[in-house]
Amino acid sequence: MKSAFITGAAVGQGNMLAKKLAGQGWRVFAGVLPGAETDLGEVEGVTMIEQDVSDNASVRASAEQVNDQLGREGLDLLMNVAGVANVATGLIEGIDMELVPKLFEINTFGQLRVCQAFLPMVRRAPQPAKILNFGSGAVLASPPMAGAYSMSKHAVHGLTLTLRNELAPFGVQVTSIWPGAVKTGMTANSRETTLGSWNAQPEPVKSTYAEYLKRGITELLPDMIEKKGNTPDAVTDEILKIVAQRKLKAWYCVGSDAKPLGVMSRLLPSGSFEALIRGAYKIPAAKV
């Protein structure tokens, strides 16, 4: 029986992936934030493991629990899903720097911690064991107001690329997953969330950028999420198809909105691609 560990599995995509893998006969260990509400306790084939990815001791303890239950067997699949989006949101000139470390502790260092702690189990697995590190379509789109978030996800891809080199001799496949907008709790109430983030910016910053960015951030972005956002069911099905591949590429755009971005980022000159992104937010052309 194949085994998997999924971080951030209490709700959202991680929750759905845990259920679907268990339904396919996998032995699933689900990382759940201590005290978090979840319905996984009633799912056959899923073992809940308390884990706070932002805490070194918690991650080590969770790895020890999984290792004890696996015995001599290896871990066939590690999925780093846990992450947050609506933390340290803001224009670069207006970000609350006190909040940025929290974002990175979860989104970036959390994946680093988990990989480090679980790698011995992954290396023990029959080839090809796999690691999926969850990034974001923001790596390509670089949306305004999401600079810190984009940085945290760019760093995750740096982790992926390094692991691909370090783990190649062991036959371990590693990839980055870059979903587009997924209609989960993370993107719920997008109009209220984006407007609240805008209003939280310092007044001098808002007055400087409002003419160029406010409409794109508080109106056009929520419109895009509502009209083109992907259902969790469709996204997780697509991710499981990636899991089934024997040889993984370095990254995959997932979702009907993100896939075209991936293609265009490869085919278009960088200036043309940037102009395309700015056009979606109605940002004026760069002055030269």
Side-chain angles (χ1 to χ4, degrees):
M1 179 184 294
K2 288 187 175 182
S3 60
F5 184 88
I6 304 174
T7 71
V11 295
Q13 294 179 73
N15 181 278
M16 189 169 284
L17 286 165
K19 293 174 181 175
K20 288 185 176 181
L21 282 173
Q24 293 179 4
W26 286 66
R27 182 183 186 184
V28 179
F29 299 96
V32 175
L33 190 68
E37 293 186 8
T38 183
D39 60 357
L40 289 178
E42 303 173 1
V43 180
E44 184 177 354
V46 175
T47 301
M48 291 191 298
I49 304 290
E50 286 195 345
Q51 183 190 71
D52 179 351
V53 299
S54 68
D55 182 83
N56 291 328
S58 177
V59 171
R60 287 195 296 266
S62 67
E64 290 172 3
Q65 291 180 55
V66 174
N67 189 58
D68 289 344
Q69 295 196 46
L70 286 175
R72 294 184 179 181
E73 296 180 1
L75 184 69
D76 298 284
L77 175 64
L78 174 62
M79 303 182 79
N80 273 306
V81 183
V84 293
N86 298 319
V87 175
T89 304
L91 301 166
I92 295 299
E93 198 170 340
I95 289 176
D96 184 346
M97 291 302 297
E98 298 296 322
L99 299 177
V100 174
K102 178 182 178 181
L103 179 75
F104 274 78
E105 286 293 350
I106 298 171
N107 285 5
T108 305
F109 305 140
Q111 296 204 31
L112 175 61
R113 289 185 185 94
V114 171
C115 285
Q116 185 181 71
F118 283 77
L119 274 177
M121 288 175 271
V122 174
R123 286 190 288 99
R124 285 205 308 266
Q127 297 180 14
K130 298 182 179 74
I131 299 174
L132 274 64
N133 294 327
F134 276 58
S136 170
V139 171
L140 293 175
S142 304
M145 288 278 287
Y149 176 77
S150 296
M151 289 168 64
S152 74
K153 294 301 187 178
H154 272 278
V156 165
H157 190 50
L159 170 65
T160 292
L161 295 178
T162 300
L163 286 172
R164 283 174 64 85
N165 286 330
E166 294 181 350
L167 298 178
F170 303 98
V172 178
Q173 297 285 312
V174 190
T175 190
S176 289
I177 302 295
W178 295 347
V182 185
K183 294 179 179 179
T184 64
M186 190 176 286
T187 57
N189 304 313
S190 58
R191 292 186 184 278
E192 293 83 355
T193 300
T194 53
L195 183 59
S197 297
W198 176 266
N199 288 334
Q201 297 297 284
E203 287 299 331
V205 174
K206 283 194 292 185
S207 62
T208 300
Y209 289 92
E211 179 183 355
Y212 310 110
L213 298 180
K214 183 179 179 181
R215 179 170 176 251
I217 292 165
T218 64
E219 297 179 26
L220 300 181
L221 177 58
D223 282 346
M224 286 187 277
I225 293 173
E226 290 175 1
K227 294 176 182 178
K228 299 183 179 180
N230 304 278
T231 65
D233 197 46
V235 168
T236 51
D237 279 350
E238 198 171 328
I239 291 168
L240 291 181
K241 290 179 182 178
I242 295 170
V243 170
Q245 296 180 20
R246 182 168 181 83
K247 187 172 183 180
L248 301 181
K249 298 186 294 185
W251 55 274
Y252 293 86
C253 283
V254 177
S256 58
D257 54 344
K259 278 185 174 179
L261 279 181
V263 174
M264 289 184 286
S265 71
R266 292 191 296 267
L267 298 180
L268 294 176
S270 59
S272 299
F273 183 71
E274 288 178 346
L276 183 80
I277 298 298
R278 287 196 295 268
Y281 290 93
K282 306 302 181 188
I283 299 172
K287 296 179 180 180
V288 292

